[in-house]
Amino acid sequence: MDNLTRRRFLALSGVTAAGALAVGATQVNWSDLMAAAVDNPLPSDQSVLVVITLYGGNDGLNTVVPASDPAYQKARPDLAYEQNDVLDLGDGLGLNPGLKGLKGLWDEKRLAIVRGVGYPEPDRSHFRSMAIWQTASPKSPVPTGWLGRWLDATGADPLRAVSVEPTLPPLLAGETTAAASLPLRGLALPKGALGTAYAALGKPSPGEGHWQARAAKAVQDLQDATKVLGNAVRTGHEKDEDEDEQRTQGASAGGTSQLGAQLELIAGLIEAGVPTRAYSASLGGFDTHADERGTQQRLLTELDAAVTPFVQRLRKTDRGKNAVVLVYSEFGRRVQANGSDGTDHGTAGPVFVVGDKVSGGFFGEQPSLTDLSNGDLKATTDFRDVYATVLRDVLGTEPAKILADHKTTIDGLLRV
């Protein structure tokens, strides 16, 4: 199977602005964002949405696992998790063992799992399905992303939405406005004794002259930038997203392996008061047609190791407490395992919503494993219900204006 890359997705998604976005037409740097934080800081009571895309089609049945269901065990004799393998959630379901941190957030009522999320007349193509999720238009292609339309409706400032991915995803492309892009860059300061000495250069001294003070201020500004960006700024050239041999075993349909760095960067920007209301990050590699169990558990462990400390860090500040994380993939996988210890493209899957504003627990009905549609799960929750809810309760926008008159929301999912 050909590896599916973000570049091909951008070209084929139908979002017409994607070509310009992919070459960095809207790229900004940290100084642009820090200046915006000074000139127009994000009010501490405004909510922020962080969208994480799992490219490739994450297997929902081995993420939120119906381990006690005999139909699940029968459909996946060599791929299924046993009940004592998973992290118990109740209702006969358990989290994948790679999601221990998210299980802790579940216990704290800060993780909501929306079950059976999909769209009408599902399409098993990566490109078409991801385009549907990113444009929120399941019936016909449209040239704008759902958060791009939100940008169009709420003002022309591209800093209201920022992607920290290598290229700006179509979901952030509007008709008149495109979000900003802040790819991870290389930057490092010295450590040890040299680092201590360098930090001392940034400290003001009584009676120092004008230019000495300016130089010290420049050193301090650089140190502040690295605190905001943290480990997200890295040295050396970035690998092309097709170069990671281990990851391409999952045939990454876009996304990167730098989710932890992306979220650390976003956390710093939120804490600094950058006036951004929506962020986009991603993790790729979920197209698990073969040897799924080890590959997916590794990826979910990476997801867990990125999201859990991100949420824990954000709850320490007023701005961070208002952040909501939305995690989705373009489709789930088939119920029946294939002959290669993997699963093929399917339909519905779970969506995670995480944060202090979240009312933890299950939302939506768990799809039946015996009442199937051509071997696939039947969606029980329309994905636009999730979008409508975060548009209304996180971004403070009337959903119907963005989602072509779709008004249905998931009541109780978020604390307003």
Side-chain angles (χ1 to χ4, degrees), residues 14-254:
V15 178
T16 55
L21 302 177
V23 298
T26 59
Q27 281 193 13
V28 295
N29 57 45
W30 72 267
S31 61
D32 298 323
L33 294 168
M34 292 303 103
V38 172
D39 296 338
N40 182 30
L42 179 74
S44 61
D45 61 348
Q46 281 202 344
S47 299
V48 172
L49 177 65
V50 181
V51 178
I52 300 175
T53 302
L54 306 181
Y55 283 98
N58 177 44
D59 182 6
L61 287 176
N62 272 14
T63 302
V64 179
V65 187
S68 63
D69 191 331
Y72 164 76
Q73 298 292 340
K74 181 178 180 181
R76 301 176 168 206
D78 298 319
L79 191 59
Y81 286 94
E82 300 292 339
Q83 280 186 268
N84 59 359
D85 293 330
V86 300
L87 310 171
D88 183 50
L89 299 173
D91 287 5
L93 299 170
L95 279 177
N96 185 286
L99 298 174
K100 292 180 175 63
L102 287 180
K103 174 56 165 60
L105 296 176
W106 170 271
D107 293 339
E108 296 173 4
K109 304 296 183 184
R110 290 191 288 151
L111 167 63
I113 299 173
V114 187
R115 299 180 290 190
V117 184
Y119 58 86
E121 300 180 14
D123 190 309
R124 295 173 186 83
S125 161
H126 286 290
F127 301 121
R128 178 67 187 131
S129 189
M130 186 55 77
I132 288 170
W133 273 89
Q134 296 214 7
T135 63
S137 179
K139 294 183 179 180
S140 58
V142 297
T144 55
W146 68 280
L147 284 176
R149 295 195 295 276
W150 167 76
L151 280 172
D152 287 341
T154 57
D157 183 1
L159 294 186
R160 288 175 62 79
V162 171
S163 169
V164 296
E165 305 173 70
T167 55
L168 198 67
L171 72 93
L172 295 177
E175 183 177 355
T176 60
T177 309
S181 175
L182 181 68
L184 304 182
R185 291 291 187 239
L187 175 64
L189 293 181
K191 299 183 183 299
L194 179 59
T196 302
Y198 181 78
L201 295 176
K203 295 180 180 179
S205 299
E208 63 187 357
H210 171 75
W211 292 111
Q212 287 176 308
R214 289 284 299 271
K217 179 65 164 56
V219 172
Q220 185 60 50
D221 286 346
L222 182 59
Q223 291 172 336
D224 291 343
T226 59
K227 289 177 183 177
V228 170
L229 302 179
N231 291 331
V233 289
R234 56 203 176 99
T235 56
H237 71 279
E238 292 185 315
K239 286 186 177 182
D240 185 274
E241 58 195 86
D242 296 334
E243 289 180 3
D244 185 339
E245 181 178 354
Q246 185 180 30
R247 184 162 304 281
T248 54
Q249 291 177 0
S252 174

Side-chain angles (χ1 to χ4, degrees), residues 253-332:
T256 72
S257 61
Q258 295 290 324
L259 181 60
Q262 293 175 50
L263 293 185
E264 189 167 1
L265 173 53
I266 291 171
L269 296 175
I270 292 173
E271 292 166 351
V274 172
T276 299
R277 298 291 307 280
Y279 292 93
S280 175
S282 67
L283 178 63
F286 287 90
D287 197 19
T288 50
H289 290 275
D291 301 322
E292 175 185 305
R293 187 156 160 165
T295 298
Q296 188 202 25
Q297 188 166 327
R298 171 178 57 82
L299 290 168
L300 292 179
T301 300
E302 183 175 349
L303 173 69
D304 188 80
V307 172
T308 303
F310 176 70
V311 174
Q312 299 287 14
R313 173 180 172 178
L314 288 180
R315 72 181 314 194
K316 297 176 182 177
T317 64
D318 289 339
R319 290 189 178 98
K321 289 177 182 176
N322 288 318
V324 173
V325 181
L326 172 66
V327 185
Y328 79 97
S329 192
E330 68 260 40
F331 45 60

